[in-house]
């Protein structure tokens, strides 16, 4: 996973100190709720039906065991002992006290986590294939591009007050595990005729009350021109997006109203004005790529008694059939952890379960945990000889439901118990 540097940590320290003072002023009555609202939303803090909710960013769904344990500690100390994973791979704490919010942000910053741009009309958390770096059908690891987009878009002054929230997904596999076509921008890594990598660019997808499958506005964009093209798309959206009607403010409405061809012409014209000066240098992309830790595949894995266990225990066999996927490396598997236990709220996970997942990732999963847009978790690098041990640990914690991609593996918001916009319980 990506290792934060001194600049990343300085940004988080400055932001948490700034928000601590804003909360102090709100509690002292120096700020009204109307004045405080845009400030708290910049830090992922919502005021819901019964309490404040804090949405924590999990960039492209990647977590370390240390970070997962920190989330468990926050759930115990500042919430009601659990968190809720969302469709943007973030985690929400639904019973936060305003006075505690700065301490939570400090606890997050201590493990390189934050809540920046998890709310508001800005570029939200960038999501990726949860199997990134492990999938057998992957062209290259898309997380490098997700991290570059995160750094480019974080606190970007031109795109901090868009007409509406904005969501980007990146995938590098033919099998789209990011739902890229229902994002504001979906980026699909492709190999060009010259052998170089680039992107198919999809714009204007979305769900909600007016669902759209986004059209492709560029079949192939060289990867070294990505950021100037993203800037062009966002400038066109900033210029023409509806600001008078929240229901018509998303870019999907703009693309549908203009038509894909007219929208593309606007973007291409803006892109030509920006030129290559708007692109991130190749050296910076390589710096980001080098900042990612890589799994240790140096020793040859053994399948051990994996096949014998699967043949002997029907419950384990069901788990393997539904929750274990092929890995790019022989002798390894990708283990999906369902947060959709029968009778449980989809996406919810207790603090004890978070600790258990962290322990399993540390012992058997190369210290790598992923959250998914389907509100589940993944251990992407597990030796087949250890899958049975992982299953036993998950089973004891109530996390071994073998239902990935089955009808009970549904996606749901926290619902009416929390959100003023909901009309049903999850």
């Amino acid at each position: 996973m990506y290792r934060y540097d001194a600049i990343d940590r300085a940004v988080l320290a400055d932001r948490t100190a700034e928000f601590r003072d804003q909360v102090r002023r709100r509690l002292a009555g120096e700020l009204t709720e109307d004045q405080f609202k845009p400030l708290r939303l910049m830090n992922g803090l919502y005021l819901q039906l019964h309490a404040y909710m804090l949405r924590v960013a999990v960039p492209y769904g990647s977590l370390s065991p240390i970070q997962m344990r920190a989330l468990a500690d926050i759930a115990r100390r500042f919430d009601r002992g659990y968190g809720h994973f969302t469709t943007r791979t973030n985690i929400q704490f639904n019973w936060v006290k305003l006075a505690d919010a700065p301490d939570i942000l400090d606890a997050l910053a201590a493990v390189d986590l934050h809540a920046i741009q998890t709310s508001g009309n800005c570029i939200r958390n960038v999501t990726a294939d949860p199997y990134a770096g492990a999938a057998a059908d992957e062209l290259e690891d898309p997380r490098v591009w997700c991290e570059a987009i995160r750094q480019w878009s974080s606190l970007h002054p031109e795109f901090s007050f868009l007409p509406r929230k904005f969501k980007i997904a990146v995938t590098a596999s033919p099998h789209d595990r990011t739902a890229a076509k229902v994002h504001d921008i979906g980026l699909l890594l492709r190999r060009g005729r010259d052998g170089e990598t680039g992107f198919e660019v999809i714009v204007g997808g979305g769900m909600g009350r007016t669902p759209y499958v986004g059209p492709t506005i560029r079949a192939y964009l060289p990867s070294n021109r990505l950021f100037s093209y993203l800037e062009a798309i966002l400038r066109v959206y900033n210029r023409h997006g509806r600001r008078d009607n929240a229901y018509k403010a998303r870019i999907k409405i703009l693309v549908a109203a203009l038509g894909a061809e007219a929208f593309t012409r606007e973007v291409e014209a803006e892109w030509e004005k920006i030129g290559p000066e708007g692109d991130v240098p190749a050296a910076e992309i390589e710096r980001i790529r080098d900042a990612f830790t890589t799994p240790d595949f140096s020793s040859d894995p053994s399948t051990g008694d994996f096949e014998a266990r699967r043949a002997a225990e029907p419950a384990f066999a069901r788990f393997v059939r539904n929750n274990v996927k092929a890995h790019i490396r022989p002798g390894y598997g990708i283990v999906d952890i369902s947060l959709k236990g029968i009778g449980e709220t989809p996406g919810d996970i207790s603090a004890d379960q978070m600790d258990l997942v962290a322990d399993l990732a540390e012992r058997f999963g190369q210290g790598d945990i992923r959250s998914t847009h389907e509100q589940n978790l993944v251990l992407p690098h597990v030796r087949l000889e250890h899958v049975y041990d992982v299953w036993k640990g998950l089973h004891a914690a109530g996390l071994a439901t073998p239902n990935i991609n089955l009808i009970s593996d549904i996606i749901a918001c926290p619902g009416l118990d929390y959100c003023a916009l909901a009309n049903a319980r999850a």
Side-chain angles (χ1 to χ4, degrees):
M1 61 185 300
Y2 179 77
R3 294 166 294 190
Y4 273 36
D5 60 18
I7 295 174
D8 292 303
R9 294 189 177 110
V11 169
L12 297 191
D14 287 347
R15 171 53 72 93
T16 56
E18 178 184 65
F19 189 57
R20 183 175 291 279
D21 184 61
Q22 291 166 352
V23 170
R24 178 195 61 77
R25 291 160 61 202
R26 172 69 184 114
L27 292 172
E30 298 171 16
L31 293 174
T32 66
E33 174 54 31
D34 286 343
Q35 292 169 328
F36 182 59
K37 181 179 179 179
L39 303 177
R40 62 172 169 78
L41 288 177
M42 289 179 183
N43 293 279
L45 193 65
Y46 288 76
L47 182 57
Q48 296 192 314
L49 287 180
H50 307 294
Y52 284 94
M53 177 272 282
L54 181 69
R55 181 180 294 144
V56 178
V58 184
Y60 37 91
S62 189
L63 286 166
S64 70
I66 291 173
Q67 290 173 328
M68 185 64 93
R69 291 192 186 101
L71 294 174
D73 183 58
I74 289 169
R76 289 191 186 96
R77 291 170 57 203
F78 301 110
D79 204 277
R80 295 188 174 181
Y82 67 95
H84 174 81
F85 278 101
T86 77
T87 56
R88 288 229 66 69
T89 73
N90 297 321
I91 187 170
Q92 295 178 180
F93 295 105
N94 289 301
W95 296 95
V96 170
K97 295 177 181 177
L98 178 57
D100 292 333
D103 291 336
I104 298 174
L105 292 186
D106 280 341
L108 292 170
V111 293
D112 298 339
L113 288 173
H114 60 82
I116 297 171
Q117 293 184 198
T118 59
S119 60
N121 295 334
C122 58
I123 298 172
R124 300 284 186 93
N125 192 36
V126 181
T127 57
D129 185 346
Y131 298 170
D137 61 348
E138 187 174 76
L139 186 62
E140 67 175 68
D141 193 333
R143 292 175 299 163
V144 173
W145 295 102
C146 290
E147 176 61 28
I149 294 170
R150 182 193 73 83
Q151 295 189 24
W152 170 80
S153 64
S154 291
L155 313 180
H156 195 305
E158 192 173 353
F159 308 131
S160 293
F161 297 98
L162 295 168
R164 196 70 173 85
K165 59 186 177 181
F166 203 89
K167 300 177 180 181
I168 301 174
V170 188
T171 186
S173 297
H175 179 66
D176 180 14
R177 288 176 287 265
T178 65
K181 292 186 178 182
V182 291
H183 277 73
D184 297 299
I185 296 178
L187 299 172
L188 282 62
L189 271 157
R190 298 282 189 248
R191 183 82 65 188
R193 293 179 181 177
D194 57 0
E196 297 296 319
T197 56
F199 296 92
E200 177 185 348
V201 183
I202 298 166
V203 179
M207 300 294 286
R209 58 187 283 164
T210 48
Y212 286 99
V213 174
T216 295
I217 69 165
R218 216 170 213 276
Y220 182 78
L221 174 72
S223 57
N224 65 337
R225 299 303 316 279
L226 173 63
F227 290 92
S228 58
Y229 204 76
L230 292 179
E231 185 170 331
I233 293 169
L234 283 153
R235 282 188 176 181
V236 170
Y237 175 46
N238 236 347
R239 184 183 308 139
H240 297 295
R242 295 282 297 269
R243 295 178 186 271
D244 61 330
N245 186 325
Y247 298 109
K248 297 182 179 181
R250 298 292 295 271
I251 195 173
K252 62 185 179 181
I253 304 298
L254 175 61
V255 173
L258 292 177
E261 291 184 4
F263 179 82
T264 302
R265 287 195 296 271
E266 291 259 6
V267 170
E268 295 283 331
E270 187 66 33
W271 189 41
E272 188 174 348
K273 292 178 188 175
I274 295 169
E277 296 79 16
D279 287 303
V280 173
E284 177 63 10
I285 301 299
E286 289 309 307
R287 182 196 67 79
I288 292 172
R289 194 184 307 276
D290 291 343
F292 275 83
T293 58
T294 55
D296 180 10
F297 296 123
S298 58
S299 59
D300 293 329
S302 166
T303 58
D305 55 1
F306 173 74
E307 294 298 343
R309 295 277 196 187
R310 184 160 63 163
E313 297 196 41
F316 178 58
R318 283 194 298 273
F319 178 81
V320 172
R321 182 176 66 245
N322 294 327
N323 292 43
V324 180
K325 306 299 189 297
H327 196 282
I328 193 171
R329 296 273 181 164
Y332 283 83
I334 301 168
V335 178
D336 284 293
I337 301 171
S338 174
L339 300 185
K340 316 290 176 55
I342 305 304
E344 302 294 330
T345 301
D348 278 6
I349 183 170
S350 72
D352 289 346
Q353 288 172 329
M354 290 185 218
D355 282 336
L356 181 278
V357 171
D359 291 344
L360 292 176
E362 210 162 53
R363 292 177 61 197
F364 304 118
Q366 302 252 16
D368 199 345
I369 306 164
R370 311 284 174 78
S371 55
T372 80
H373 84 277
E374 294 170 327
Q375 298 177 283
N376 294 315
L377 298 176
V378 174
L379 300 182
H381 309 294
V382 179
R383 290 178 180 236
L384 292 179
E385 62 189 297
H386 294 150
V387 171
Y388 183 79
D389 296 312
V390 170
W391 174 70
K392 292 289 283 186
L394 294 173
H395 183 72
L399 291 173
T401 307
N403 66 340
I404 297 298
N405 295 327
L406 301 183
I407 194 168
S408 59
D409 183 19
I410 66 170
I411 295 172
C413 73
L416 191 60
D417 289 334
Y418 305 105
C419 181
L421 300 177
N423 55 22
R425 283 189 165 83

